[in-house]
Amino acid sequence: MNIRITWLLTGLLAMSGGFKGTIAQDIVGSQPCQPRYWATSEYLMGWIQDGPNSVPLIARGSLSDPLPSALGQPGTEVLAGGNQVDYGLLHGGRVSVGKWMDPCQTFGLEATGFLMGKSSPASSFSSASSDASSLSVPIQLPNGTETSIFALVNAPGASLPDERLSVEHSSQLWGAEGNLIFNQRRTCTWNVDGLLGFKHLNLNEALDLNADIRRDVTGGRAVVLGEDHFGTRSEFYGSTVGVRGIRSGRRLQWTTSGAIGLGVNANEVNISGNRSQSSPSSPAATTPGFVFSEPTNIGTFQHRSFSVVPECKLGLSYWLRFRLALDVSYSALYWNNVVRPGDQIDRVVNPTQRGGGTLVGDARPQPLFHRTDLWFHAVGFGVTYRF
């Protein structure tokens, strides 16, 4: 009888201890019997490095100045351009899925993708025919003279124009990667994994300068519409190597990871523009180019270069249940040799080719292919489910 009671107590104690240990180990995920699949979904709040835009795009000038709206004139005020572009807070999401390929969780696969919403900051300016000032685009002539240029219609009896000029910027970033996971060390509280994989990043940006100029002339209304478009795209393709460390407690889990990508940037710059003019004395006509886009630089230009993309991520998870956790994270990446639209504008313009004219003198503006660096960082809030 005593022997049976002893066996019963021993069994109960063993069951009690085993149950307690299993719950703790389930939370930290340190046992080979743990679920082998996981999925994470996050909402991202991100910030991308301000876009370069050193060229003045729109200026307001006094009509009493010798060259209204030209840089250096007393009454000239730059309204757009000449400073960096703030794209503001970006919203997006990130999804990760993974699987351990063996019960001991020594080798696994993981795929991650993120997409940030498109940011389109814009500014618009107008001047009426009753104003004592005019809007224009300040440029520099090939001989170094500062002046301003606009597609005003020269017609008898013309009044001062009603002008509307606008500048719109856009930026969108997304990426994806796949990694092989090699567990290097695992204890009850620590987990260290090596990462080896492939990464793709895609950055699409644009800068558009638009103008709508209308004024009364003899016999009716003259209208000039124009647009300059500078679009850029940078795509990174490369291999990555990194390490990830996980520190686990009863319900809290801290994750730190770092990786570096080495590969190729496929960069593309697209420049286009058009000018449409109509008046009572002449039929409507559309010609290529407007102000900073002209036949000398209109086209699509491509270039490939070596690129480096280091990235780090910090995360904190709180396990509500055995399979479900709430996550908060911070991630940052650096990307070099990207092209951005504000860097591609040549403000030296030869006006002889404007409106379909024949080029005389220097072939300006020229196509530029300036490259720069990019920073992006984001805060994420999400959930993880394992099964």
Side-chain angles (χ1 to χ4, degrees):
M1 183 66 178
N2 290 336
I3 294 177
R4 292 180 180 178
I5 293 175
T6 302
W7 285 351
L8 179 60
L9 292 175
T10 302
L12 290 173
L13 288 173
M15 291 177 60
S16 175
F19 179 76
K20 181 178 179 181
T22 300
I23 292 297
Q25 291 160 354
D26 284 346
I27 293 297
V28 301
S30 62
Q31 290 295 305
C33 62
Q34 292 305 299
R36 292 166 58 180
Y37 298 85
W38 66 92
T40 300
S41 177
E42 295 177 276
Y43 158 70
L44 297 180
M45 296 190 305
W47 296 266
I48 196 169
Q49 185 173 347
D50 291 351
N53 187 21
S54 60
V55 174
L57 300 175
I58 300 175
R60 186 187 301 275
S62 172
L63 295 177
S64 61
D65 288 340
L67 293 172
S69 302
L71 297 185
Q73 295 295 309
T76 296
E77 175 190 7
V78 176
L79 302 178
N83 50 25
Q84 294 185 321
V85 181
D86 182 2
Y87 292 101
L89 176 64
L90 307 178
H91 302 275
R94 179 168 51 205
V95 175
S96 300
V97 294
K99 176 187 178 182
W100 289 109
M101 303 303 294
D102 61 326
C104 293
Q105 301 184 356
T106 59
F107 172 69
L109 302 173
E110 185 177 52
T112 301
F114 76 93
L115 171 66
M116 304 306 300
K118 187 176 182 179
S119 174
S120 302
S123 54
S124 179
F125 308 91
S126 62
S127 68
S129 57
S130 59
D131 294 344
S133 63
S134 68
L135 297 174
S136 192
V137 180
I139 65 167
Q140 186 181 90
L141 298 178
N143 62 8
T145 301
E146 291 290 342
T147 185
S148 61
I149 195 167
F150 229 105
L152 298 181
V153 180
N154 295 317
S159 66
L160 292 176
D162 294 325
E163 303 169 299
R164 181 173 296 276
L165 279 71
S166 63
V167 176
E168 181 175 352
H169 305 269
S170 66
S171 179
Q172 186 168 42
L173 175 68
W174 65 273
E177 65 179 294
N179 284 300
L180 303 176
I181 307 173
F182 304 92
N183 180 252
Q184 303 298 309
R185 180 177 176 81
R186 177 178 286 115
T187 69
C188 293
T189 57
W190 278 99
N191 191 36
V192 180
D193 299 322
L195 307 173
L196 181 64
F198 177 84
K199 180 191 292 286
H200 172 68
L201 294 174
N202 189 300
L203 175 67
N204 279 281
E205 296 188 314
L207 184 158
D208 291 279
L209 172 64
N210 294 277
D212 183 337
I213 307 169
R214 303 170 186 265
R215 65 176 175 174
D216 295 325
V217 297
T218 301
R221 189 86 162 159
V223 179
V224 173
L225 304 176
E227 178 187 21
D228 283 335
H229 171 79
F230 290 81
T232 59
R233 181 175 64 186
S234 293
E235 295 183 273
F236 173 80
Y237 301 88
S239 58
T240 60
V241 60
V243 63
R244 177 169 59 198
I246 301 175
R247 176 73 165 88
S248 302
R250 171 69 179 176
R251 290 187 177 272
L252 290 178
Q253 182 173 284
W254 296 265
T255 302
T256 304
S257 63
I260 185 169
L262 303 174
V264 175
N265 264 0
N267 291 325
E268 180 178 290
V269 175
N270 178 270
I271 303 174
S272 62
N274 61 81
R275 176 178 182 264
S276 178
Q277 175 177 320
S278 63
S279 70
S281 61
S282 61
T286 300
T287 55
F290 185 49
V291 178
F292 297 114
S293 64
E294 293 291 353
T296 52
N297 69 339
I298 287 177
T300 299
F301 311 92
Q302 298 176 333
H303 184 269
R304 293 180 180 270
S305 60
F306 176 75
S307 185
V308 178
V309 181
E311 183 175 7
C312 66
K313 182 178 179 181
L314 304 174
L316 175 64
S317 300
Y318 179 79
W319 289 93
L320 299 172
R321 296 178 178 273
F322 167 51
R323 299 181 183 275
L324 183 66
L326 299 179
D327 307 311
V328 61
S329 67
Y330 171 80
S331 56
L333 69 82
Y334 165 84
W335 184 6
N336 75 331
N337 284 335
V338 301
V339 287
R340 310 193 74 181
D343 274 340
Q344 314 309 322
I345 301 176
D346 182 3
R347 69 177 302 265
V348 178
V349 177
N350 186 338
T352 61
Q353 60 186 319
R354 299 191 70 239
T358 301
L359 177 67
V360 178
D362 295 341
R364 303 292 292 269
Q366 295 179 341
L368 306 178
F369 216 101
H370 292 161
R371 289 166 289 173
T372 187
D373 301 336
L374 178 78
W375 284 94
F376 171 75
H377 60 117
V379 177
F381 304 91
V383 294
T384 294
Y385 183 76
R386 58 187 185 184
F387 52 98

mmCIF file of all heavy atoms in Angstrom, residues 116-138:
data_model
loop_
_atom_site.group_PDB
_atom_site.id
_atom_site.type_symbol
_atom_site.label_atom_id
_atom_site.label_comp_id
_atom_site.label_asym_id
_atom_site.label_seq_id
_atom_site.Cartn_x
_atom_site.Cartn_y
_atom_site.Cartn_z
ATOM 1 N N MET A 116 5.341 50.038 -49.119
ATOM 2 C CA MET A 116 4.974 51.325 -48.550
ATOM 3 C C MET A 116 4.052 52.055 -49.521
ATOM 4 O O MET A 116 4.247 52.003 -50.743
ATOM 5 C CB MET A 116 6.221 52.171 -48.274
ATOM 6 C CG MET A 116 7.252 51.510 -47.384
ATOM 7 S SD MET A 116 6.586 50.918 -45.806
ATOM 8 C CE MET A 116 5.978 52.452 -45.075
ATOM 9 N N GLY A 117 3.050 52.720 -48.971
ATOM 10 C CA GLY A 117 2.124 53.470 -49.800
ATOM 11 C C GLY A 117 2.805 54.620 -50.520
ATOM 12 O O GLY A 117 3.823 55.150 -50.073
ATOM 13 N N LYS A 118 2.250 55.007 -51.647
ATOM 14 C CA LYS A 118 2.825 56.070 -52.453
ATOM 15 C C LYS A 118 2.622 57.427 -51.792
ATOM 16 O O LYS A 118 1.525 57.760 -51.362
ATOM 17 C CB LYS A 118 2.180 56.066 -53.842
ATOM 18 C CG LYS A 118 2.808 57.026 -54.829
ATOM 19 C CD LYS A 118 2.154 56.870 -56.193
ATOM 20 C CE LYS A 118 2.790 57.786 -57.229
ATOM 21 N NZ LYS A 118 2.163 57.619 -58.567
ATOM 22 N N SER A 119 3.695 58.203 -51.707
ATOM 23 C CA SER A 119 3.629 59.559 -51.175
ATOM 24 C C SER A 119 3.705 60.544 -52.337
ATOM 25 O O SER A 119 4.569 60.414 -53.213
ATOM 26 C CB SER A 119 4.784 59.806 -50.204
ATOM 27 O OG SER A 119 4.819 61.157 -49.787
ATOM 28 N N SER A 120 2.804 61.529 -52.350
ATOM 29 C CA SER A 120 2.736 62.474 -53.471
ATOM 30 C C SER A 120 2.593 63.914 -52.982
ATOM 31 O O SER A 120 1.546 64.554 -53.174
ATOM 32 C CB SER A 120 1.574 62.114 -54.399
ATOM 33 O OG SER A 120 1.697 60.805 -54.895
ATOM 34 N N PRO A 121 3.615 64.472 -52.355
ATOM 35 C CA PRO A 121 3.523 65.889 -51.953
ATOM 36 C C PRO A 121 3.486 66.792 -53.177
ATOM 37 O O PRO A 121 4.204 66.570 -54.159
ATOM 38 C CB PRO A 121 4.796 66.099 -51.128
ATOM 39 C CG PRO A 121 5.733 65.045 -51.601
ATOM 40 C CD PRO A 121 4.893 63.870 -51.986
ATOM 41 N N ALA A 122 2.637 67.808 -53.148
ATOM 42 C CA ALA A 122 2.483 68.698 -54.286
ATOM 43 C C ALA A 122 2.278 70.124 -53.805
ATOM 44 O O ALA A 122 1.821 70.364 -52.684
ATOM 45 C CB ALA A 122 1.304 68.260 -55.165
ATOM 46 N N SER A 123 2.601 71.067 -54.654
ATOM 47 C CA SER A 123 2.369 72.481 -54.362
ATOM 48 C C SER A 123 1.922 73.173 -55.645
ATOM 49 O O SER A 123 2.387 72.846 -56.744
ATOM 50 C CB SER A 123 3.628 73.151 -53.807
ATOM 51 O OG SER A 123 4.734 72.955 -54.672
ATOM 52 N N SER A 124 1.003 74.122 -55.503
ATOM 53 C CA SER A 124 0.439 74.805 -56.652
ATOM 54 C C SER A 124 0.394 76.309 -56.380
ATOM 55 O O SER A 124 0.115 76.737 -55.247
ATOM 56 C CB SER A 124 -0.970 74.280 -56.953
ATOM 57 O OG SER A 124 -1.546 74.945 -58.039
ATOM 58 N N PHE A 125 0.659 77.102 -57.415
ATOM 59 C CA PHE A 125 0.699 78.550 -57.275
ATOM 60 C C PHE A 125 -0.025 79.174 -58.467
ATOM 61 O O PHE A 125 -0.037 78.629 -59.572
ATOM 62 C CB PHE A 125 2.145 79.060 -57.229
ATOM 63 C CG PHE A 125 2.989 78.367 -56.207
ATOM 64 C CD1 PHE A 125 3.725 77.237 -56.556
ATOM 65 C CD2 PHE A 125 3.040 78.813 -54.895
ATOM 66 C CE1 PHE A 125 4.502 76.578 -55.615
ATOM 67 C CE2 PHE A 125 3.814 78.155 -53.956
ATOM 68 C CZ PHE A 125 4.542 77.042 -54.317
ATOM 69 N N SER A 126 -0.621 80.321 -58.234
ATOM 70 C CA SER A 126 -1.355 80.991 -59.307
ATOM 71 C C SER A 126 -1.172 82.499 -59.191
ATOM 72 O O SER A 126 -0.896 83.036 -58.111
ATOM 73 C CB SER A 126 -2.842 80.637 -59.246
ATOM 74 O OG SER A 126 -3.419 81.072 -58.026
ATOM 75 N N SER A 127 -1.323 83.167 -60.325
ATOM 76 C CA SER A 127 -1.308 84.629 -60.361
ATOM 77 C C SER A 127 -2.342 85.073 -61.381
ATOM 78 O O SER A 127 -2.485 84.459 -62.444
ATOM 79 C CB SER A 127 0.074 85.165 -60.733
ATOM 80 O OG SER A 127 0.383 84.852 -62.071
ATOM 81 N N ALA A 128 -3.089 86.104 -61.047
ATOM 82 C CA ALA A 128 -4.124 86.621 -61.937
ATOM 83 C C ALA A 128 -3.581 87.779 -62.757
ATOM 84 O O ALA A 128 -2.534 88.366 -62.451
ATOM 85 C CB ALA A 128 -5.342 87.063 -61.124
ATOM 86 N N SER A 129 -4.321 88.125 -63.813
ATOM 87 C CA SER A 129 -3.884 89.209 -64.695
ATOM 88 C C SER A 129 -3.871 90.556 -63.985
ATOM 89 O O SER A 129 -3.258 91.502 -64.458
ATOM 90 C CB SER A 129 -4.796 89.266 -65.921
ATOM 91 O OG SER A 129 -6.153 89.444 -65.519
ATOM 92 N N SER A 130 -4.550 90.631 -62.824
ATOM 93 C CA SER A 130 -4.578 91.886 -62.072
ATOM 94 C C SER A 130 -3.381 92.043 -61.140
ATOM 95 O O SER A 130 -3.169 93.105 -60.568
ATOM 96 C CB SER A 130 -5.868 91.972 -61.250
ATOM 97 O OG SER A 130 -5.963 90.868 -60.358
ATOM 98 N N ASP A 131 -2.571 90.960 -60.960
ATOM 99 C CA ASP A 131 -1.419 91.019 -60.070
ATOM 100 C C ASP A 131 -0.296 91.855 -60.689
ATOM 101 O O ASP A 131 -0.160 91.941 -61.906
ATOM 102 C CB ASP A 131 -0.887 89.616 -59.777
ATOM 103 C CG ASP A 131 -1.881 88.785 -58.972
ATOM 104 O OD1 ASP A 131 -2.804 89.393 -58.396
ATOM 105 O OD2 ASP A 131 -1.742 87.563 -58.950
ATOM 106 N N ALA A 132 0.505 92.431 -59.817
ATOM 107 C CA ALA A 132 1.679 93.183 -60.277
ATOM 108 C C ALA A 132 2.914 92.295 -60.271
ATOM 109 O O ALA A 132 4.041 92.779 -60.148
ATOM 110 C CB ALA A 132 1.892 94.404 -59.391
ATOM 111 N N SER A 133 2.714 90.994 -60.354
ATOM 112 C CA SER A 133 3.819 90.048 -60.372
ATOM 113 C C SER A 133 3.468 88.910 -61.320
ATOM 114 O O SER A 133 2.313 88.765 -61.739
ATOM 115 C CB SER A 133 4.093 89.497 -58.967
ATOM 116 O OG SER A 133 2.965 88.776 -58.491
ATOM 117 N N SER A 134 4.450 88.113 -61.648
ATOM 118 C CA SER A 134 4.215 86.989 -62.545
ATOM 119 C C SER A 134 4.953 85.759 -62.038
ATOM 120 O O SER A 134 5.976 85.866 -61.351
ATOM 121 C CB SER A 134 4.679 87.321 -63.972
ATOM 122 O OG SER A 134 6.090 87.433 -64.015
ATOM 123 N N LEU A 135 4.429 84.604 -62.386
ATOM 124 C CA LEU A 135 5.084 83.344 -62.084
ATOM 125 C C LEU A 135 5.900 82.906 -63.282
ATOM 126 O O LEU A 135 5.492 83.099 -64.429
ATOM 127 C CB LEU A 135 4.052 82.269 -61.754
ATOM 128 C CG LEU A 135 3.180 82.498 -60.519
ATOM 129 C CD1 LEU A 135 2.114 81.419 -60.428
ATOM 130 C CD2 LEU A 135 4.035 82.500 -59.265
ATOM 131 N N SER A 136 7.035 82.298 -63.014
ATOM 132 C CA SER A 136 7.873 81.831 -64.112
ATOM 133 C C SER A 136 8.818 80.761 -63.586
ATOM 134 O O SER A 136 8.811 80.435 -62.394
ATOM 135 C CB SER A 136 8.654 82.995 -64.725
ATOM 136 O OG SER A 136 9.242 82.596 -65.940
ATOM 137 N N VAL A 137 9.621 80.235 -64.498
ATOM 138 C CA VAL A 137 10.608 79.207 -64.153
ATOM 139 C C VAL A 137 11.992 79.804 -64.375
ATOM 140 O O VAL A 137 12.359 80.114 -65.519
ATOM 141 C CB VAL A 137 10.424 77.944 -65.013
ATOM 142 C CG1 VAL A 137 11.469 76.900 -64.641
ATOM 143 C CG2 VAL A 137 9.020 77.380 -64.838
ATOM 144 N N PRO A 138 12.763 79.985 -63.323
ATOM 145 C CA PRO A 138 14.101 80.571 -63.503
ATOM 146 C C PRO A 138 15.071 79.549 -64.096
ATOM 147 O O PRO A 138 15.120 78.393 -63.675
ATOM 148 C CB PRO A 138 14.512 80.964 -62.076
ATOM 149 C CG PRO A 138 13.725 80.056 -61.191
ATOM 150 C CD PRO A 138 12.433 79.758 -61.903
#
